[in-house]
Amino acid sequence: MNPNSTIGHVSLGRSDYGETLALQRALHTKRCSDSLGDILLSVEHNPVFTLGRSGSRDHILVSDSVLEQQGIKIYDIERGGDITYHGPGQLVIYPILDLRGYGKDIHRFIWSLEEAMIQTLKALNIPSDRNEGFPGVWVDGRKIASIGVYVKNWVTYHGLALNVHVSQEHFRMINPCGLSVETVSVCDLSDVPVKVSEIGERVVWQLGALLEKDIVAMNREEVI
Amino acid sequence: MSTDMIPIRMPDLGDVSKAVVVQWLQSIGCQLVEGDDLLEVETEKTTFVIPAPASGRLVAIHAPETAAVTTGESLGEIEPE
């Protein structure tokens, strides 16, 4: 199969945020040097808050001691956007894609990330939509998915986070994306029990279809 | 702008209306090599790194942090080597 017509998908399962960030950066370097093709990483993190380039610690609503008690670390990272939460029950997908192969269009790329989630939710009978000016996916004014991306040399990393069955306790510790918005999970809207890994496979497949690429399952050892 | 300066222009990022300068990664007077990371702009929750278009010295910044910029706009100038 022509590697230019495929995107590799590596499912990492549960993985520490810092470890996955190091992996993303390593894969980004390899992709920039063309020693690796396009890759999607899917993962579920241990609890963590990340602050993007527009982020402010003012949007953390609890003290450092509470975070320490809960074992929640904070990472200042390079992606766009403000603060967000990652944790168990949340699907995170990191696309490491060379956008020169997709028309060098940031808007189209973000639209595709959103659309992959909207179509996945639709298949679960959950109607969702965009919110003009606020990238992400929304259900009746409640945020179900966040987006934050970094692009260097036209190669992306960071990506999307879709709440599947996330504890609201941790979200209440922040103003997600710097907004005072309510968040929601798939499990709040569907009677059918769903696993993060299953939703991950669906979103990855949808994204491949939208980008007109075949998805090829790979393991971690094949990409590092 | 003097004729021998090289403009740093906002690249075409596709169907986006505008972006905001997040930070300059180099200061006025810095010696640059073509391709060095020069500044970051943000649009649609995406941080995009703009590389130096040429080697030389960064002599002017026209779009400071938080400035809204559009495709083709002059962000600064490089005095070539």
Side-chain angles (χ1 to χ4, degrees), chain A residues 194-215:
Chain A
V194 286
K195 291 181 180 175
V196 171
S197 58
E198 289 171 4
I199 297 276
E201 293 292 332
R202 290 177 185 224
V203 174
V204 164
W205 184 86
Q206 288 284 357
L207 192 54
L210 289 161
L211 298 175
E212 299 179 337
K213 298 288 175 107
D214 294 319
I215 300 297

Side-chain angles (χ1 to χ4, degrees), chain A residues 23-52:
Chain A
L23 176 62
Q24 282 191 80
R25 287 172 174 161
L27 297 182
H28 180 270
T29 299
K30 290 185 74 171
R31 186 68 192 97
C32 287
S33 66
D34 233 7
S35 57
L36 182 72
D38 288 336
I39 295 291
L40 298 173
L41 301 175
S42 61
V43 63
E44 190 175 356
H45 287 306
N46 298 318
V48 67
F49 291 133
T50 64
L51 278 161

